[in-house]
Amino acid sequence: MKNVNIFDELRQFGPQANAPAPTLAEAEAYCSDLARRRQENFTVVSFLLPRALRSHFYNIYAYCRWADDLSDEIGDPAKSLELLQWWNDSLVDCFAGKASHPVFVALHETVRQFQIPIEPFADLLSAFRQDQTQTRYETLDELLGYCRRSADPVGRLILYLGRCFSAENARLSDSICTGLQLVNFWQDVADDRRRGRIYVPQEDCRRFGVAESDFAAGKCTDAFRSLLKYECDVAERYLLAGRPLVEIVPNKLRLDIELFIEGGLGTVHAIRRANYDVWTARPHLSKMNKSFIAVRCWLMSHLKS
């Protein structure tokens, strides 16, 4: 399918478009199509997810996808901040019952049905705004603070969809989402560097002897391999620490959460197979690997039941 171009989307649905508000059915179809047109590390919504939840997963994904593209694909931090403010204003309007953008028309119904608060959505936008002004992180703790707003809200939203949000479930979900965010950072070191960002903590770079000039050169030195090995090990620990959530949440969510975890672990393994060379090519899961993970998770879930 044709990939999404944020500039085409803005021409049709942006702040200057003045497009008429779609019906709920049209808005949900837009969100579903948007999700299907994007290529992610792992399937956004598995075909095994209960049909009643799929449209709501798509609606939340569409919100996140737009926000992420407004942050990363515009190419001008000042313009991105302006558009992210528009997206934030649209979010506030959505919670006030006023929506015209297809994403927010669809999202309003999801928020209403599952009684989702505004905070997870707003936290995501605060992280994307931070991306426009902060391009380096001194410590892992500082980076984890960013992850708490850039990744963890997504897992919390999924818990709301499963009607199983609790403090303990949120803690485990946060661990999974932080792990996934870290994996994505290490997978995308080259792309982020081209955007002027380095998410690898600066104190870790110094510890392993990797300088800013090494990132600029884009060479996979022995020091860089040691650095990325360390970072991948950290991400893996977060993913594994959240795994008990799979046994706690309702059956309707278990397989998809297991797929997210295994997709993250699979990407860690892909980086390791590439001997931590994320400069020559972006390590990723092949379609065959994704299929193998899906079948394995499905078999394990049935063996446990």
Side-chain angles (χ1 to χ4, degrees), residues 21-295:
T23 65
L24 177 59
E26 290 170 339
E28 290 181 339
Y30 171 83
C31 293
S32 172
D33 179 64
L34 181 70
R36 295 172 191 276
R37 283 185 287 158
R38 293 305 296 246
Q39 300 298 316
E40 303 296 331
N41 273 345
F42 212 79
T43 307
V44 175
V45 178
S46 86
F47 68 94
L48 297 170
L49 187 74
R51 187 175 296 276
L53 285 180
R54 290 181 195 174
S55 65
H56 299 293
F57 266 72
Y58 288 137
N59 297 345
I60 286 176
Y61 172 83
Y63 169 85
C64 298
R65 185 71 271 159
W66 260 83
D68 189 58
D69 284 352
L70 293 176
S71 173
D72 282 353
E73 303 301 327
I74 300 302
D76 178 348
K79 184 63 176 177
S80 284
L81 284 171
E82 177 186 326
L83 289 168
L84 286 167
Q85 184 59 52
W86 161 69
W87 200 242
N88 185 80
D89 293 343
S90 299
L91 173 67
V92 173
D93 286 345
C94 171
F95 272 78
K98 300 178 291 184
S100 58
H101 191 287
V103 169
F104 289 106
V105 171
L107 190 66
H108 177 73
E109 180 62 18
T110 296
V111 165
R112 185 191 67 80
Q113 282 195 35
F114 294 90
Q115 298 182 310
I116 306 175
I118 196 171
E119 284 77 14
F121 299 103
D123 284 347
L124 284 167
L125 290 184
S126 74
F128 291 136
R129 286 194 292 268
Q130 183 172 319
D131 272 333
Q132 310 313 310
T133 58
Q134 183 171 354
T135 60
R136 304 290 188 276
Y137 291 83
E138 177 61 24
T139 66
L140 176 61
D141 282 346
E142 188 181 4
L143 184 62
L144 293 178
Y146 171 82
C147 292
R148 278 191 285 273
R149 289 175 294 111
S150 70
D152 296 359
V154 176
R156 293 179 175 225
L157 289 169
I158 291 173
L159 293 178
Y160 279 110
L161 291 185
R163 303 187 191 278
C164 59
F165 184 89
S166 69
E168 175 61 10
N169 287 357
R171 182 185 69 81
L172 294 169
S173 172
D174 289 352
S175 186
I176 294 168
C177 291
T178 290
L180 288 170
Q181 177 74 90
L182 293 175
V183 171
N184 185 249
F185 285 152
W186 316 149
Q187 178 187 35
D188 285 339
V189 167
D191 285 345
D192 289 331
R193 176 63 184 78
R194 282 192 285 272
R195 295 187 177 104
R197 301 174 191 160
I198 296 177
Y199 290 101
V200 183
Q202 296 295 291
E203 68 173 8
D204 292 346
C205 291
R206 291 192 295 270
R207 184 192 318 165
F208 286 93
V210 178
E212 181 94 10
S213 58
D214 294 318
F215 282 88
K219 293 182 179 180
C220 192
T221 63
D222 289 342
F224 180 83
R225 286 191 171 93
S226 296
L227 170 63
L228 209 61
K229 178 186 183 303
Y230 171 80
E231 304 297 357
C232 284
D233 290 347
V234 171
E236 184 178 57
R237 287 197 295 272
Y238 274 95
L239 289 167
L240 294 175
R243 179 165 268 166
L245 182 65
V246 176
E247 304 300 326
I248 300 173
V249 297
N251 287 337
K252 59 189 174 185
L253 291 183
R254 287 184 179 181
L255 185 56
D256 272 77
I257 291 175
E258 182 73 18
L259 287 171
F260 285 129
I261 295 170
E262 291 299 323
L265 293 172
T267 303
V268 169
H269 296 325
I271 295 172
R272 288 171 176 159
R273 284 195 301 271
N275 198 18
Y276 306 100
D277 184 359
V278 294
W279 298 107
T280 302
R282 182 180 187 265
H284 66 281
L285 292 173
S286 67
K287 289 183 178 179
M288 181 176 294
N289 285 336
K290 291 180 184 180
S291 298
F292 176 76
I293 289 172
V295 170

